[in-house]
Amino acid sequence: MRITIDDLSGPAVLDLLADHLADMHAQGPPESTHALDVAALRDPAVTVWACHDDTGALLGCAALKELADDDGEIKSMRTAPWATGRGVGAGLVRHVVGEARRRGYRTLHLETGSTAYFAPARRLYQRHGFVPCPPFADYPEDPNSVHMRLDLTE
């Protein structure tokens, strides 16, 4: 797998993100859907990475949003449906955590869903040391959301 910064101009990553956004909207009410659209992912506070295989096929993507000088949030984690079970998600989480450490972040946060649909994502994050936490940034209390954090100073 090769993970590189993506400029959000290629059709493969745009299609993957469109599918991600559609799935997130299908999983809950609008007020509980916190996935970023492409315009929001182009914000200078957000870095997006794409993961490709040796043939150049897109395997997945992930984003890191800077919340403060010492805090970030994982956004837009998505594995292509045909690439699930190949370690793409784990590779992207390791990459984003490594970048957060390089940036000097003390914490890394994320928000994901609370339903069974999101159980694999929650397990992935737990395997990488994320633990439940109260809502962060401007997220409200929401029974459809699970908030997690990783302390990067340990």
Side-chain angles (χ1 to χ4, degrees):
M1 289 187 292
R2 183 175 45 87
I3 300 173
T4 58
I5 291 177
D6 195 275
D7 65 3
L8 299 174
S9 65
V13 75
L14 293 174
D15 287 347
L16 185 65
L17 288 167
D19 290 346
H20 174 66
L21 200 57
D23 280 353
M24 297 304 96
H25 283 289
Q27 294 305 314
E31 65 274 9
S32 296
T33 303
H34 305 290
L36 300 179
D37 63 18
V38 172
L41 288 169
R42 287 188 171 123
D43 184 291
V46 178
T47 305
V48 178
W49 290 273
C51 178
H52 295 88
D53 69 11
D54 292 339
T55 70
L58 180 65
L59 300 172
C61 63
L64 176 59
K65 179 179 180 182
E66 185 169 291
L67 300 176
D69 288 344
D70 63 350
D71 189 15
E73 177 184 6
I74 294 178
K75 299 295 293 182
S76 301
M77 277 282 300
R78 182 69 168 201
T79 298
W82 62 270
T84 58
R86 295 177 53 184
V88 174
L92 284 165
V93 170
R94 283 191 302 272
H95 184 84
V96 174
V97 168
E99 178 61 23
R101 288 184 193 281
R102 279 187 287 284
R103 292 181 182 188
Y105 292 171
R106 299 176 58 80
T107 53
L108 186 57
H109 286 92
L110 63 90
E111 180 274 338
T112 191
S114 63
T115 64
Y117 177 87
F118 296 97
R122 292 191 305 269
R123 286 191 301 271
L124 170 68
Y125 296 127
Q126 288 169 340
R127 282 195 306 271
H128 288 273
F130 285 83
V131 296
C133 69
F136 59 94
D138 58 355
Y139 288 101
E141 285 285 345
D142 183 348
N144 296 301
S145 289
V146 172
H147 302 92
M148 303 180 86
R149 69 175 276 161
L150 178 65
D151 183 350
L152 299 173
T153 61
E154 294 179 352

